[in-house]
Amino acid sequence: MYRLLHRLLKRQLRYLLFCGGLIGVLAIAHPQPNGWLGAPAAAQAQRPAQLVQTGVEAYQQGEYAAAIAIWSQALTVYPEDAVAERAIVHENMARAQQQMGETQAEIAAWAAAAAAYEASGNPTQFGRMLTEQAQVYIRLGQHQRAAALLCGDQKSAAAAPLQCAGGAYAIAVSTDDAVGKVAAIGSLAEAYRLTGDYETALAALAIGLEQIQAQGQLAAFEAPLLNSLGNTQARLARVKRQRAEAAELLNLNNRQRNVVGRLKAEAAAHRQAALQAFSQAVGAASRQADHPTELRSRLSQLILATTSDEAFDATRERLAQLISELPASRETAYAAIALAKSYRADRQSVTCPSAAASEQYSPPQLIDWLQVGLQIADQINDDRARSFALGELGHVAECQQDWALALPFTNRAQQAASDALESADSLYLWEWQMARLYKAQGQVDKATDFYRQAIATLEGIRTDLLTANRDLQFDFRDTVEPIYRQYIALQLATAVDEAAVKQLAALPNFNVTETLQTVDALRLAELQNFFGDDCVIVAADDARTRLLANDPHTAIITSVVLPEYTALIANLPDGTEQIVRVEDSTALKVIATDFRATLTRFTDRVFDLSAASTLYQQFMAPLEAEFARTQTETLVFVQDGFLRNIPMAALYDGEQYLVQKYAVATTPALSLTAPPSPSKAWRALAVGLSQEIVTESGYEFDDLRSVPQELAQVAETLPGSKRLLNEEFTIENFQAALKDARYTVLHLATHGQFSTVPDETFVITGPNATGKADEITFNQLEALIRESSPNAEPVDLITLTACETATGDDRSTLGLAGVAIQAGARSAIASLWPVDDATAATLIASFYSNLQAHQSKAQALRNAQIEVINNNPGDNPGHWAPLILVGNWQ
C-alpha cells in the first residue's frame, strides 16, 4: 500500500513538474498591458479593478478561497462587454482553484477565459488557454484529450511531433507566439510521455529546447522542459530495465543473451541522462530564481536517486528549505509528504516492517514532515492533500500496531477523500486501510464492509487508474492486487475451514457468488493492468449463465492462490458448488514448478509422473465423485498465479492423463469469455516462418523446418484457406489478406513469446525489406484485425504453435491468457513452451479435422491430444500438453 501512496503522490507531483512550471512561466511572459493576476491599466480606478487587486493580495497570502470569492464578485460588477477584463479574472480564478485542487472548477474557468479571449479577438491568449486546459486534462490522466487540445484532432496529435492540424500549437505558429509554441511543445511532450510514447516526447522536447536556446526571452521555460526531459529519460530507464528482466526469464540461447546486456546498458544510460537533466533543470531554475520549478526538479532528483548518491542529503536539505519558503499550495503539501517518505530506511517497502525494524519506520523527520504536509493542506483547505497526509500518518500507526491512533487518522483520511472532488484514487486506499485495521483487531464484519467498499470504489476507476499512468502499471502486484486477494481470503476463511469438499450452499455466512465475482474482478484488473490502455476490456455480467445455459456437461474450476493455501471453487453442471483446499501454497508452487520442468526436459529416458500424480490427487481426486454424479465432460479452468504456468491436461491419476478423461480448456475470466461462433465454416489465414532469422530488436530464432508442411496441412484440412510463408509473410501482406476475405481462423506457425512485459509479448513475421523479422505485439495484432475488417464478426480462433512463455514469473502468462481477448478473437490455442514443430503439425491437423466434424473446440483438442498419446505410448506429455485452449471452449 505504501508504494501505491508513493506512486500516486509521484504521479501528482510529476503532473505538476512541467505543468506547474508552465504556469509560473506564463505569469512572467503574459503581455504586460493585460496584466496577470491583475486588471488593465485603464480599469484601475474602477471598482471592479480594485476588487481584482484585492483578490490578488489574498492570493499572494495563500488565501485562495477568499481570492476566488472576491474575483467572483468582480465578475458580477464588470459589464458583459468588458470581455478582456473578464478573461483575466477567469484566469486568476483558475489558478486559485488549481492551488486548492478544485479541478472541475478550474477546467470551467480556463474554458471561460478561452471563450472570452476568442470573443475579444485575441488568438494568442486563446491558444494559451487551450494549453492551460490541456494541462488540467494531463493531470486527470486524460492524455488523448489533452493532445487533441494541443494539436487539433486526435489523428494529428498521434502523428509525428508538432505536425499539428490545429490546437494550441498551430495557433501559436500562426500568431508567431514564441511563448505559446514552447508551452504547447512542453505540454505535448508530457502527454506523449504519459501515454508511453517516449521517443515522440523526446523529439518534441528537443525541438522545444532548441527554440529556447535560439530565443533568450524563453529562458524561463528551460527548467520546466529539462525537468520533463529528465522524467522521460527516467521512465525509459525503467522500461528498459523491465524489458531486460523479462528477457532474462526467457529460454534465451547464447546468441540472444546479448539483448539482455544491451537493454541493461540502455537502462543505465537513460538513468544517467535523467539525473543529468534534473541537475541542469535545477541550475536553470536557480538562474531564474524560479523556486517552484527548482522544487519540482529537486523532487524529481530525490525520487530517482538512491540514498547512497552523494547529493542525496543535500537535495533533501534544499527541499526542506524550499517547502518552508514557498507559499502554501497543494504542490508544497505533496512535496512535504514525499520528503517525509525519503526518511524511511527502505523507501520502496510495500508492507509494514518487522517489529525489529519498526524504529526505522518512524524516524522523527518522517512524522514531522507528514505533519507539515497536513498543516499546509489545512491552511489551504485542500481535502485531497489532507487525505494523503492523514492516511500516511494512519499507516505509520498501523505499522506500529497503535490502533488508537491508526483508526482515527485513517477515518479522517477517508472522510477528507470523500469530501474532495475526483479523489476516488485515494479514497479506496483509506477504505482498504480501514479494512486491514479492523481485520488485525479481529472485527471481521467491519473489515468485510470496508473491503467491499474499497473494491467498489476501485472498480469505478479501475480502467483509468490502471491505464492512465504507466508508472503504476508494473506496481499492480504490490499495490492494487492485494486488496482483492485479502478480501477473497476473508471471504473464503469460513468456507475452507469448515467445508473442504462439502456443499458450499450448506455453509452459513458464505456467499460463493460474491466470492467468484471478486475473483473475476481481480482477473479483469490483472489483464487491464497488463495490457494497459491499448486494450479495451468489456466484461459481461451474465457470462456464467449465458455460457453454461446450453452446456449441461461443463464444470468451471476457479483457483485462488493465497499465501497459506490454494483454494479451488468448482461450479458443477447441476448448479451446485464445491470447494477444495490445498495446504501450503509455497510447497504447492514447488511441485507445480517441478511438474513443468519435468514436462520440458525431453532428454529424460523415462518420464517422471510423480509431480503429475501429486497434483492430480490434490486438485482432481476430491472432485471425481461429483464429476461422475453430474456427468461432467469438460473442465474449464480459471487459473491463478503459478497455476497458469502448467497444463492441467497432463495431470495423471495413476492410469490416465486428465485429458483422457475430460476435455480441458482455460479462460482468464468468465466475464471476458466470448459466446460461441454462430458460424462453423472454418477457413484459415495460415502464416508462418520456417527460416532462421533475427528480429529488429536483436532476438535470434532458429528455423522451424516443419512449418511448410504444417501450413499445407491446414490448407488441405480447411478448404478456402490462404497461406503466407517466409518472405510472403510481411505485415503489409498479412493486412492485405485480412482485407481480401473473411477468415474464421488465424493460424500463426511462427516464433513468438509471452513475457512479463506487454511490449515483449509478440509474434514475428517473415523477413522484411532489411532481411529482419518484424515483431507484432498483440496490441498491434488486434489493431491490424480491427482495421482490416472493422464491421466483421470477430475472428473465431487464433492458433499459435511455436510461442514460448517466460518461466519464473506468472505475470508472463497473463499475455497468454489474454491473447484471444487482446487480439479480438473468441478463442486461442497457444503454447506454454515451444512444441516440436513436427508434433505440432500433426496435432493441429487432427484438431482442425475434428472441428470440421463439428466437435467443440475443447473436444477437438482433446481428441487430437489423445491421438498423439496413443501413437506414442510412454512418451513425455510435454510434447502435446503445452498447447492449451484459451477463451470460448464450445
Side-chain angles (χ1 to χ4, degrees), residues 97 139 261 312 321 385 484 531 543 555 599 619 669 680 799 833 869:
Q97 285 153 348
R139 295 201 306 273
F312 185 81
Q321 183 181 0
Y484 293 93
F531 286 117
L599 289 170
F619 288 152
K680 296 299 181 183
T799 302
W833 56 84
I869 294 170

Side-chain angles (χ1 to χ4, degrees), residues 787-816:
E787 289 172 7
S788 301
S789 51
N791 299 317
E793 279 285 314
V795 173
D796 200 78
L797 176 67
I798 293 178
T799 302
L800 304 110
T801 59
C803 292
E804 177 174 3
T805 305
T807 58
D809 187 345
D810 58 79
R811 181 180 169 89
S812 63
T813 52
L814 288 173
L816 186 148

Side-chain angles (χ1 to χ4, degrees), residues 14 198-199 202 226-243 262-278 304:
R14 281 181 170 168
Y198 309 114
E199 298 302 328
L202 290 176
L226 284 169
N227 202 56
S228 187
L229 176 63
N231 286 328
T232 306
Q233 293 284 9
R235 183 62 185 134
L236 269 170
R238 191 173 184 204
V239 168
K240 296 291 186 180
R241 186 174 67 251
Q242 289 163 343
R243 290 189 65 189
R262 174 175 57 80
L263 289 171
K264 288 183 176 180
E266 289 175 357
H270 284 300
R271 182 180 182 275
Q272 190 58 40
L275 289 171
Q276 181 179 1
F278 291 143
L304 185 62

Side-chain angles (χ1 to χ4, degrees), residues 125-126 192 209-210 230 278 651 728 807 860:
Q125 284 302 108
F126 172 64
Y192 290 134
L209 288 168
E210 286 178 6
F278 291 143
L651 300 188
E728 298 173 331
T807 58

Side-chain angles (χ1 to χ4, degrees), residues 118-136:
E118 188 175 28
S120 69
N122 189 338
T124 297
Q125 284 302 108
F126 172 64
R128 293 184 182 185
M129 296 303 99
L130 294 182
T131 298
E132 296 282 9
Q133 290 178 69
Q135 291 172 3
V136 184

Side-chain angles (χ1 to χ4, degrees), residues 7 119 122 134 266 277 363 394 397 480 684 754 773 778 801 816 868 879:
R7 295 294 177 200
N122 189 338
E266 289 175 357
V480 176
F754 296 97
F778 287 102
T801 59
L816 186 148
V868 174
H879 288 296

Side-chain angles (χ1 to χ4, degrees), residues 107 170 191 255 327 347 355 411 416 456 468 550 575 643 731:
I107 291 174
R255 293 174 300 171
R347 294 189 297 153
N411 184 57
N550 299 310
L643 294 177
I731 291 179

